[in-house]
Amino acid sequence: MVPLIAVAHGSRDPRSARVISAAVAALREARPDLDVRLAFLDLNAPSIDQVLDGVAHDGHTHAVVVPMLLGNAFHARVDLPGLLAAAATRHPQLTVFQADVLGRDARLIEAVRERILEAGARPDDPSVGVALAAVGSSDARANAATAELASTLLSGTNWSGVRICFATSAEPTVAQAISALEQNGAERVVVAPWFLAPGLLTDRLSAAAATVCPRARFAETIGGHSLLIETMIDRYRQVADALPDRLVRSA
């Protein structure tokens, strides 16, 4: 079986690594037939270098890296490919394929919607406004692509609105998004993080939201949601299904 290497960003906040590790454990439980390994790009162990070295040491000739990233920015386009190229130099017998990022998959948007409902919002409640909070990027195109999530999240509900906001590098801020929602008639505000795991940035968003709207509720991150697991398996299969049958059995 070709190993699936789930690569997460990494964080100084230990909660992030715990949530990511639990999500990968859920992936292993869902697909016990797969060789699933977790690696981090930065700040946490094991590193992608360590995991790829282990895969090569175990005698594998192929592996599929599934980036646990919601955006196709620097880490996906530059950082990770560079690390994989370096591994290819160290282990010429090992071919590593990089799958697509998780991105703006409809299943992940549905997972965020479910987190909002878990926070107490009803889908048919027009008094609800949602501030969808993402990291933010110095790349305006990446921010514009993220902003498109708002209309998708709103679809199928009677909420008064969904406004995107960013934790870093871009506007609107969470305070600006909440102000816009309230001006549009929202009486109950839910801040929904477009994050896989909690950390310093989600804490910052929560604190900023509480400052301008003390009654605002803060939904949980996507975490180990079953739809995240489904999406990761799908990203793996998109690559693995193109490999020769002798390399992949029942992937």
Side-chain angles (χ1 to χ4, degrees):
M1 179 60 66
V2 175
L4 184 166
I5 304 174
V7 179
H9 184 280
S11 171
R12 290 184 176 85
D13 192 313
R15 293 173 299 170
S16 179
R18 286 198 297 269
V19 169
I20 293 297
S21 296
V24 173
L27 172 56
R28 292 191 186 101
E29 184 176 350
R31 288 297 302 268
D33 57 310
L34 294 182
D35 179 357
V36 177
R37 310 191 189 198
L38 171 62
F40 294 94
L41 287 169
D42 197 11
L43 300 172
N44 298 115
S47 68
I48 182 65
D49 285 343
Q50 290 171 327
V51 172
L52 288 172
D53 289 350
V55 166
H57 180 269
D58 290 343
H60 292 284
T61 57
H62 295 76
V64 176
V65 164
V66 177
M68 295 181 71
L69 302 172
L70 295 176
N72 190 29
F74 179 84
H75 290 300
R77 291 186 285 104
V78 179
D79 195 9
L80 182 54
L83 292 169
L84 300 187
T89 300
R90 295 196 309 276
H91 307 291
Q93 79 282 10
L94 177 64
T95 301
V96 182
F97 300 92
Q98 181 177 333
D100 289 339
V101 298
L102 302 178
R104 296 175 289 131
D105 193 286
R107 289 167 290 195
L108 299 183
I109 299 171
E110 178 59 29
V112 171
R113 186 180 291 112
E114 291 187 16
R115 296 300 191 219
I116 295 168
L117 301 183
E118 291 169 2
R122 299 195 316 271
D124 60 347
D125 186 353
S127 71
V128 170
V130 175
L132 181 62
V135 174
S137 171
S138 57
D139 186 336
R141 294 170 299 175
N143 293 331
T146 302
E148 295 174 3
L149 296 170
S151 60
T152 306
L153 182 61
L154 180 63
S155 179
T157 74
N158 288 329
W159 296 334
S160 62
V162 175
R163 296 296 180 106
I164 194 71
C165 59
F166 299 103
T168 62
S169 305
E171 292 185 339
T173 64
V174 66
Q176 291 168 333
I178 290 174
S179 177
L181 289 167
E182 292 179 329
Q183 290 176 15
N184 196 45
E187 299 173 4
R188 303 175 62 209
V189 173
V190 178
V191 180
W194 180 243
F195 287 75
L196 293 184
L200 301 177
L201 289 181
T202 56
D203 285 351
R204 182 188 302 175
L205 287 163
S206 179
T211 298
V212 297
C213 184
R215 67 183 184 280
R217 297 190 179 187
F218 202 82
E220 295 291 332
T221 56
I222 294 171
H225 196 287
S226 60
L227 292 173
L228 170 68
I229 307 309
E230 184 180 311
T231 304
M232 292 179 66
I233 293 171
D234 188 52
R235 294 292 182 271
Y236 171 81
R237 291 191 60 183
Q238 287 171 358
V239 176
D241 284 355
L243 297 177
D245 289 340
R246 64 183 178 82
L247 297 174
V248 183
R249 301 187 307 276
S250 68

